[in-house]
Amino acid sequence: MRFSQKKILGFTAFEALLASAILAFMTATVTGALMAGRMQSKLARDTLYASMLGHALMDEAMRLPTVDPRGYTTLGPDPGEARIPGAGQTAFDSVKDYSGYADGPNGVTDIAGNAYPTIYQNYSRSVTITTVSYTPTGWGRTIAGMLVTVTVSRDGQQLVKLQRVACN
């Protein structure tokens, strides 16, 4: 009489441990790649929003004349002026009035004083203006103007820096 021995099929403890280690490594690798992709998407979105806010403020400033109608020449707002005028104030009336302007976080508004939606309230915008001059080749004269710089940041990180020259 012969007894047949059944072979027991299954994994050894070592094989199970090796499979678990490989699975953990693959999970960590895929998770790292997904998180990097998510961070890139967030940065792209934040930069897009910052660009929109920066262009809005730059366009708002550049629509004004470079020479102050009241004759003031000092960079920054004239006495009694504000971007969004309150009682007894007048609105900015020249590009130079925006020098030193800053808003946000939690206070970013459009030109009419309306707050942007909540998603934009974590951003900060600032404007700096410096006087510049340039003598183009062959022109025989110097062109004076103002270099307008709008910077938009979020959480202390500068996302967008826009520059334009305003000339008379």
Side-chain angles (χ1 to χ4, degrees):
M1 201 181 238
R2 288 179 57 188
F3 292 101
S4 67
Q5 291 183 349
K6 281 190 161 184
K7 189 174 185 181
I8 299 175
L9 300 175
F11 294 108
T12 64
F14 176 74
E15 292 170 330
L17 182 63
L18 183 62
S20 296
I22 292 171
L23 180 62
F25 176 76
M26 295 302 291
T27 302
T29 303
V30 170
T31 301
L34 290 174
M35 289 305 295
R38 186 163 186 217
M39 294 290 287
Q40 285 290 66
S41 294
K42 181 184 180 312
L43 180 61
R45 184 193 67 227
D46 288 350
T47 303
L48 178 68
Y49 291 167
S51 178
M52 190 275 306
L53 291 170
H55 280 284
L57 188 56
M58 178 67 81
D59 291 345
E60 181 181 321
M62 295 300 287
R63 71 181 168 70
L64 297 172
T66 56
V67 177
D68 192 296
R70 298 199 270 164
Y72 290 98
T73 56
T74 306
L75 294 177
D78 306 332
E81 283 186 340
R83 178 174 169 255
I84 311 298
Q89 295 179 317
T90 58
F92 288 171
D93 56 9
S94 65
V95 173
K96 65 141 194 90
D97 293 337
Y98 280 86
S99 183
Y101 176 79
D103 64 9
N106 300 322
V108 181
T109 60
D110 63 16
I111 191 171
N114 301 314
Y116 280 101
T118 306
I119 196 165
Y120 299 106
Q121 293 303 320
N122 293 326
Y123 294 86
S124 299
R125 304 184 295 180
S126 64
V127 181
T128 57
I129 297 178
T130 55
T131 56
V132 294
S133 62
Y134 177 67
T135 307
T137 305
W139 280 35
R141 69 183 195 117
T142 300
I143 306 297
M146 291 178 261
L147 177 64
V148 180
T149 304
V150 174
T151 305
V152 183
S153 304
R154 179 180 171 140
D155 301 327
Q157 179 184 8
Q158 178 181 312
L159 296 171
V160 173
K161 181 178 181 180
L162 305 171
Q163 293 184 315
R164 289 189 193 162
V165 175
C167 297
N168 298 336

